[in-house]
Amino acid sequence: MPRPWILFDIGGVLEVVDDDSWQEQWWERWSAVAGLARDELDARVTAADLPRIDLTVGTECAFWAGLAVALELDDEQRVAIRADFWDAYCGTGNRELIEFARTLRPTAGTAILSNSADGAREEEERRFGFASIFDPICYSHELGVAKPEPRAYLLALQALGAEPADVLFIDDHRTAIDGAAAVGIRGILHRDNAETIAAITSFLAACR
């Protein structure tokens, strides 16, 4: 029988973080640090034409250097804004779900498909050690495409060596679940650990 796969999102699933609010809160904090009204900060960031760290590799240094110039931050503040970004981005580990995923390895493949920013692999590995549990880990900044674009899921399937019917995808955004469904991947919307663990257990039982 084909090997079943459980494909996880990170933010809002494996990490406890509100994907819908943390970025706005982060920008507000640094608007205050820079002493800029929010519309002025937005205008400076737009004018800086910063690289797309969500879809490209090797652009992180240029992004933070360019942002520091745009906001007139000194070297200490440049280091601080980057550190604050990654702390907000990563939140805290969803330990219960991470440890449950670890137990699946003998019977199922466990992998990640996540929209991301350049530097995420290193930052999340340092905090949570995902590589010991999930393989492959597919990041949008390395794929060059983000969910819910169909190509993101197709590239993940290629990395898994799996057919859509053999994969269960877990995400906390309906648009991402709908994107998976468009290429034939069954998905569940993550709301709480108990519900998600029950759905994974049911999926794997049906695969036996």
Side-chain angles (χ1 to χ4, degrees), residues 128-145:
F128 309 121
F130 285 152
S132 69
I133 307 170
F134 306 98
D135 182 26
I137 299 174
C138 303
Y139 284 111
S140 69
H141 72 279
E142 296 172 350
L143 298 177
V145 63

Side-chain angles (χ1 to χ4, degrees), residues 29-124:
R29 284 198 298 277
W30 285 92
S31 177
V33 171
L36 298 170
R38 183 55 192 274
D39 57 349
E40 173 62 18
L41 179 143
D42 291 344
R44 290 192 183 193
V45 170
T46 299
D49 193 25
L50 300 172
R52 287 287 302 271
I53 58 172
D54 58 331
L55 296 177
T56 55
V57 176
T59 53
E60 187 194 11
C61 289
F63 176 88
W64 293 112
L67 183 60
V69 170
L71 303 187
E72 298 180 4
L73 303 178
D74 60 29
D75 288 345
E76 183 176 344
Q77 290 171 322
R78 178 178 56 79
V79 171
I81 193 174
R82 181 189 180 280
D84 187 42
F85 173 87
W86 286 115
D87 285 345
Y89 178 108
C90 294
T92 59
N94 184 348
R95 291 298 176 188
E96 181 183 19
L97 194 56
I98 291 170
E99 290 309 311
F100 174 74
R102 191 188 300 275
T103 70
L104 300 176
R105 291 300 293 273
T107 57
T110 52
I112 283 171
L113 175 61
S114 178
N115 290 351
S116 55
D118 190 26
R121 183 177 291 275
E122 295 78 11
E123 290 290 335
E124 289 172 329

